Amino acid sequence: MKQTAPPLPEITLAATAFAALGSEQRLAIVRRLVRAGPEGLTMGDLGNDVGVTGSVLTHHLKQLVSAGLVAQRKDGRRILSSIDHTAINALSAFLVAECCADVAWDLSENGHNHG
């Protein structure tokens, strides 16, 4: 079956996001921010929760912000980091958009696939 490539901007954005997630520490940061919800976390709380602090945390957050996965905002003297749920949902949708597209399903035989 002929495969169709996703539009270039979509695949470029996905590749950028996956590259940013290619570090265990950055993945831990994203997972923690997903759990925190839309309010996000302060740099101190985030760093303590994932075991990454100081300039290393700043470096990782810069990568995630650049990839569009994390947003940062000032709250008085604090900087809050939060996940960009739209970007995370788009990345998930990219992964499953063509799920099982090349598999022929025969629902008449107990739902088993036959290739």
Side-chain angles (χ1 to χ4, degrees):
M1 190 174 272
K2 183 180 177 186
Q3 291 183 337
T4 58
L8 188 57
E10 183 180 337
I11 201 160
T12 301
L13 291 172
T16 300
F18 284 119
L21 293 172
S23 154
E24 289 179 18
Q25 291 176 326
R26 286 192 293 272
L27 189 55
I29 290 167
V30 167
R31 291 188 69 194
R32 180 61 188 100
L33 290 175
V34 166
R35 291 177 56 94
E39 291 302 312
L41 295 170
T42 64
M43 298 282 283
D45 289 342
L46 178 59
N48 288 336
D49 290 351
V50 297
V52 180
T53 58
S55 62
V56 174
L57 178 61
T58 301
H59 167 76
H60 287 310
L61 283 169
K62 181 179 177 183
Q63 297 288 324
L64 293 167
V65 168
S66 179
L69 298 172
V70 170
Q72 292 186 308
R73 66 188 184 287
K74 288 197 115 191
D75 179 31
R77 298 168 76 189
R78 305 178 314 163
I79 296 175
L80 295 171
S81 298
S82 59
I83 202 70
D84 184 325
H85 287 280
T86 302
I88 294 296
N89 286 337
L91 192 57
S92 297
F94 174 83
L95 283 177
V96 297
E98 296 187 42
C99 178
C100 308
D102 293 341
V103 177
W105 290 94
D106 184 355
L107 298 178
S108 66
E109 296 183 30
N110 301 321
H112 296 286
N113 67 328
H114 299 278

